[in-house]
Amino acid sequence: MTIEFVAVETPEDRRRLAALADEIWHEYWPALIGEAQTDYMVEQFQSLEAIERDMAEHGYEYWFLRADDGRIAGYTGGRSEPETNRFFISKIYLLAEERGHGFASQTVRFYEDLCRERGFDAMYLTVNKHNDLGVRAYRGKGFETIDSVETDIGRGFIMDDFVMEKRVN
C-alpha cells in the first residue's frame, strides 16, 4: 500500500489537519505523557492556531498522508533550515488503524527526496525518550541519536526528547 503526500494549503485543509491532530494525539499520547500534557500540547502545538502560526511565522509545511483508496492515514510536517542545511521533521503522525502498513517508511523516503531536491545534507526530528516504538522505528530507518534535550513548555510540563538525525547522500 502506498501513500500520496497532499499539501495542506487552504483554510479548510488547516481545519481538517487540526481535527486530525487532535484525534491522533488523544489516541496515542495520554498513555505516555498523561491526558493533561496531551491536552496542553495539542493546544500549544497541534491546534488550528498553532498550525496557522507555524505556517505563517516559521515556514512550516504540512502534508496529509493519503492512502491508495483516498482515506487520510495521517499527517506530517516540518520546516527547511537553510542555516543548518537540514530539514526539521516536526511531525509524523498516523491514525491507530494505519500503523504497521509502511507509511512511516514512505514518509522518511519522502523527506529524503525533499532534502535532496533542496540540497540539504540531513533531516532531523525529536522523539520522546519514553516512546520506545518511535525511537526503535527511527533507528531502524537510519536515524542516529545526536542529542538529548529537556524543554520546559510551560504549565509545569517538560518535553524529554532525543534529537535524532539522518544524513542524506
Side-chain angles (χ1 to χ4, degrees), residues 60-112:
Y60 276 73
E61 303 168 79
Y62 291 96
W63 296 268
F64 291 113
L65 282 60
R66 186 168 58 203
D68 291 338
D69 63 5
R71 73 184 186 286
I72 299 298
Y75 69 103
T76 190
R79 70 172 185 262
S80 292
E81 293 186 353
E83 66 278 5
T84 65
N85 205 34
R86 301 186 299 179
F87 191 91
F88 172 58
I89 303 170
S90 175
K91 301 158 179 72
I92 300 177
Y93 295 115
L94 295 166
L95 289 162
E97 65 270 13
E98 305 299 346
R99 297 181 193 126
H101 298 293
F103 295 155
S105 294
Q106 291 178 57
T107 303
V108 170
R109 285 193 298 275
F110 168 79
Y111 282 120
E112 288 171 337

Side-chain angles (χ1 to χ4, degrees), residues 110-164:
F110 168 79
Y111 282 120
E112 288 171 337
D113 291 343
L114 186 130
C115 285
R116 286 184 190 101
E117 288 171 15
R118 295 181 183 182
F120 294 146
D121 294 328
M123 59 184 134
Y124 76 102
L125 49 79
T126 59
V127 61
N128 184 289
K129 291 176 189 171
H130 307 287
N131 183 358
D132 295 333
L133 178 65
V135 171
R136 278 193 318 271
Y138 292 125
R139 283 189 180 136
K141 290 165 186 41
F143 284 83
E144 296 179 2
T145 302
I146 61 169
D147 203 356
S148 176
V149 295
E150 290 184 6
T151 307
D152 181 341
I153 59 171
R155 283 199 207 152
F157 296 118
I158 302 291
M159 289 190 334
D160 189 15
D161 295 332
F162 290 125
V163 179
M164 300 183 79

Side-chain angles (χ1 to χ4, degrees), residues 25-75:
W25 268 71
H26 282 95
E27 64 184 24
Y28 188 79
W29 286 103
L32 287 172
I33 61 174
E35 193 72 41
Q37 186 166 345
T38 299
D39 290 342
Y40 179 71
M41 290 183 72
V42 167
E43 174 191 323
Q44 294 297 308
F45 306 114
Q46 308 289 323
S47 66
L48 177 60
E49 296 79 15
I51 290 164
E52 289 180 333
R53 179 184 62 242
D54 282 346
M55 291 178 84
E57 297 175 15
H58 304 291
Y60 276 73
E61 303 168 79
Y62 291 96
W63 296 268
F64 291 113
L65 282 60
R66 186 168 58 203
D68 291 338
D69 63 5
R71 73 184 186 286
I72 299 298
Y75 69 103

